[in-house]
Amino acid sequence: MQDHPHSAIARRLKRANGHLEMIIEMIEQGRPCAQIAQQLQAVESAVESAKKALIHDHISHSLERSFKASGSKGHAALRDFRLIAKYL
């Protein structure tokens, strides 16, 4: 049985959540700010990556069907949308 398409995204977010809990412990332990900032950057990157994966998954699966139904204009619109979406 195949995983739900968003299960990989959920796994990423759970991993980021674990890192965030570790950061809270680091703050409570009085760890150096530079170490904490580095870990916060990693969590931000992980969440941003999950967001991008979710959006691109939506484009690939949900919007693709709608645009394809519109014929050649739909294909061109989808291509343009994918080009701009990579900058999200």
Side-chain angles (χ1 to χ4, degrees):
M1 187 169 117
Q2 189 176 8
D3 282 343
H4 186 274
H6 295 185
S7 62
I9 296 167
R11 282 192 301 273
R12 285 183 188 192
L13 291 173
K14 286 177 183 178
R15 208 170 21 249
N17 184 54
H19 286 286
L20 190 54
E21 289 175 4
M22 180 188 71
I23 293 167
I24 293 167
E25 289 178 19
M26 291 173 72
I27 291 169
E28 292 172 345
Q29 295 168 356
R31 301 280 294 272
C33 289
Q35 289 178 5
I36 295 168
Q38 181 183 29
Q39 294 302 314
L40 283 169
Q41 179 63 40
V43 169
E44 286 179 358
S45 295
V47 171
E48 181 72 18
S49 175
K51 180 186 83 170
K52 287 180 181 182
L54 180 73
I55 291 169
H56 287 282
D57 182 60
H58 180 70
I59 291 168
S60 293
H61 295 101
S62 299
L63 295 179
E64 190 171 285
R65 284 183 291 239
S66 298
F67 282 118
K68 282 186 177 181
S70 301
S72 62
K73 286 185 180 182
H75 286 288
L78 179 60
R79 183 180 60 249
D80 291 344
F81 189 71
R82 281 187 173 149
L83 283 171
I84 196 71
K86 69 181 176 182
Y87 298 108
L88 290 173

